[in-house]
Amino acid sequence: MILVHRLSGAELVVNADLIETVEAKPDSVITLIDGKRLLVQEAPEEIAAAVVRHRAAVLAAAGDAAAARAQLLFFPADEDR
């Protein structure tokens, strides 16, 4: 999820995986995969950077989860020993 702002200034959280396109016309328009359009204050470059940060965070969390599972395999709980 990424945080953007409507033209009114209201915050809006958007599922980054549902974004199809982002255009500047001159306001930024986010088009979702279902065709819904959102007018936002952020420039397309800012939105793209937010999506990249979001996906990097998801991948980092997935890596941390995989590392945690691997540690459980090598270091079982005391009652399992």
Side-chain angles (χ1 to χ4, degrees), residues 31-63:
T31 303
L32 304 179
I33 60 174
D34 65 358
K36 189 178 294 183
R37 293 175 173 235
L38 307 168
L39 289 172
V40 298
Q41 294 178 1
E42 288 76 11
E45 297 81 14
E46 293 175 87
I47 297 166
V51 170
V52 168
R53 285 192 305 274
H54 166 71
R55 292 200 173 140
V58 169
L59 290 173

Side-chain angles (χ1 to χ4, degrees), residues 2-79:
I2 63 168
L3 177 68
V4 294
H5 297 85
R6 292 188 183 272
L7 296 182
S8 67
E11 291 183 344
L12 178 66
V13 180
V14 177
N15 184 335
D17 295 326
L18 299 181
I19 296 174
E20 184 173 3
T21 62
V22 180
E23 303 171 81
K25 294 186 163 190
D27 296 321
S28 294
V29 179
I30 298 173
T31 303
L32 304 179
I33 60 174
D34 65 358
K36 189 178 294 183
R37 293 175 173 235
L38 307 168
L39 289 172
V40 298
Q41 294 178 1
E42 288 76 11
E45 297 81 14
E46 293 175 87
I47 297 166
V51 170
V52 168
R53 285 192 305 274
H54 166 71
R55 292 200 173 140
V58 169
L59 290 173
D64 290 345
R69 281 192 304 276
Q71 281 186 337
L72 287 175
L73 293 174
F74 292 109
F75 303 105
D78 287 335
E79 63 270 4

